[in-house]
Amino acid sequence: SQKIEQNSEALNIQEGKTATLTCNYTNYSPAYLQWYRQDPGRGPVFLLLIRENEKEKRKERLKVTFDTTLKQSLFHITASQPADSATYLCAPPGGGDKIIFGKGTRLHILP
Amino acid sequence: GAVVSQHPSWVICKSGTSVKIECRSLDFQATTMFWYRQFPKQSLMLMATSNEGSKATYEQGVEKDKFLINHASLTLSTLTVTSAHPEDSSFYICSARTTTTEQYFGPGTRLTVT
């Protein structure tokens, strides 16, 4: 069955450094992949979508890569700030209109 | 743009009663709406997909008679948890999409069944 794995449940990064989050998928080849941010007690907020023919996508301090050979997407936040602390969810499509969510990585930016 | 609201944001109900949660797309028409459930420190689990004017499609293991979904218009979907039990206590989140790929999520509804 399709499987999504995100690295470590929690990641602590010093303010100003680059945070890198990993998403690995197995048993299928998604045509695109989305990244969302979720704050405690809130719904997810869409950040970026990257398609299989795009190696990299950027939005302000965010960068996403998509390696279909490694079956992996990396999510980078440069010049991280305490306000970036949240859970980040990797979400490839699950067939039809569906999205499959990974468990997420809780990112803590330490001041 | 692309704002989705949910009402109520939290609700406490007694075991055996029913509770209705509304999901509205405020500034766009949603061809498809989704309902998710999220337990603490777990990922979002899709419960059902609904298209306006048609019956919802439920995921495996989700009881359609317990979780009633109505997608009456292009801007409103409702989830009714019938005969709620404490194990139904969870964070319920809806999302909506138009013809693009992105889903826009509501802020969620915290349901506590006592």
Side-chain angles (χ1 to χ4, degrees), chain A residues 9 32 34 36 38 41-46 49 51 89 96-99 101-104 106, chain B residues 32 34 36 38 41-44 46 49 51 59 91 93 97 101-103 105-108 110:
Chain A
E9 285 197 4
Y32 62 88
Q34 303 181 65
Y36 288 80
Q38 187 176 24
R42 305 293 294 174
V45 174
F46 171 76
L49 180 150
R51 300 190 183 279
L89 305 169
D97 291 330
K98 301 178 193 177
I99 293 177
F101 282 94
K103 279 193 173 181
R106 280 178 291 122
Chain B
T32 307
F34 305 84
Y36 295 82
Q38 187 176 34
K41 296 191 177 183
Q42 297 293 314
S43 186
L44 283 80
L46 180 65
T49 303
N51 293 293
E59 293 300 298
F91 192 50
I93 308 172
R97 57 165 282 182
T101 310
E102 297 94 66
Q103 289 187 21
F105 286 81
R110 174 76 57 194

Side-chain angles (χ1 to χ4, degrees), chain A residues 1 9 14 17-18 20 43 46 51 54 58 83 101 110:
Chain A
S1 61
E9 285 197 4
Q14 203 65 42
K17 301 292 185 184
T18 296
T20 298
F46 171 76
R51 300 190 183 279
E54 298 174 312
R58 293 175 184 261
F101 282 94
L110 308 173

Side-chain angles (χ1 to χ4, degrees), chain A residues 17-38:
Chain A
K17 301 292 185 184
T18 296
T20 298
L21 285 64
T22 304
C23 174
N24 296 296
Y25 55 91
T26 53
N27 295 330
Y28 77 131
S29 300
Y32 62 88
L33 195 147
Q34 303 181 65
W35 283 87
Y36 288 80
R37 167 182 174 145
Q38 187 176 24

Side-chain angles (χ1 to χ4, degrees), chain A residues 1-110:
Chain A
S1 61
Q2 299 166 346
K3 193 174 178 183
I4 310 300
E5 287 184 355
Q6 292 190 243
N7 68 321
S8 70
E9 285 197 4
L11 189 63
N12 295 321
I13 299 293
Q14 203 65 42
E15 181 178 5
K17 301 292 185 184
T18 296
T20 298
L21 285 64
T22 304
C23 174
N24 296 296
Y25 55 91
T26 53
N27 295 330
Y28 77 131
S29 300
Y32 62 88
L33 195 147
Q34 303 181 65
W35 283 87
Y36 288 80
R37 167 182 174 145
Q38 187 176 24
D39 290 284
R42 305 293 294 174
V45 174
F46 171 76
L47 296 175
L48 281 167
L49 180 150
I50 186 166
R51 300 190 183 279
E52 61 181 342
N53 60 348
E54 298 174 312
K55 295 296 182 187
E56 179 180 299
K57 201 147 190 188
R58 293 175 184 261
K59 179 182 175 183
E60 298 173 352
R61 292 184 296 111
L62 309 180
K63 184 178 85 172
V64 171
T65 62
F66 194 4
D67 189 325
T68 55
T69 302
L70 292 178
K71 291 185 179 292
Q72 181 181 82
S73 176
L74 299 179
F75 178 83
H76 307 271
I77 304 176
T78 58
S80 58
Q81 305 166 1
D84 295 326
S85 299
T87 296
Y88 291 86
L89 305 169
C90 167
D97 291 330
K98 301 178 193 177
I99 293 177
I100 301 174
F101 282 94
K103 279 193 173 181
T105 298
R106 280 178 291 122
L107 177 64
H108 302 286
I109 305 300
L110 308 173

Side-chain angles (χ1 to χ4, degrees), chain B residues 63-83:
Chain B
E63 300 174 60
K64 61 180 180 182
D65 294 330
K66 181 171 183 60
F67 299 99
L68 302 179
I69 292 171
N70 184 286
H71 193 157
S73 74
L74 285 171
T75 60
L76 173 64
S77 177
T78 61
L79 167 69
T80 301
V81 183
T82 63
S83 187

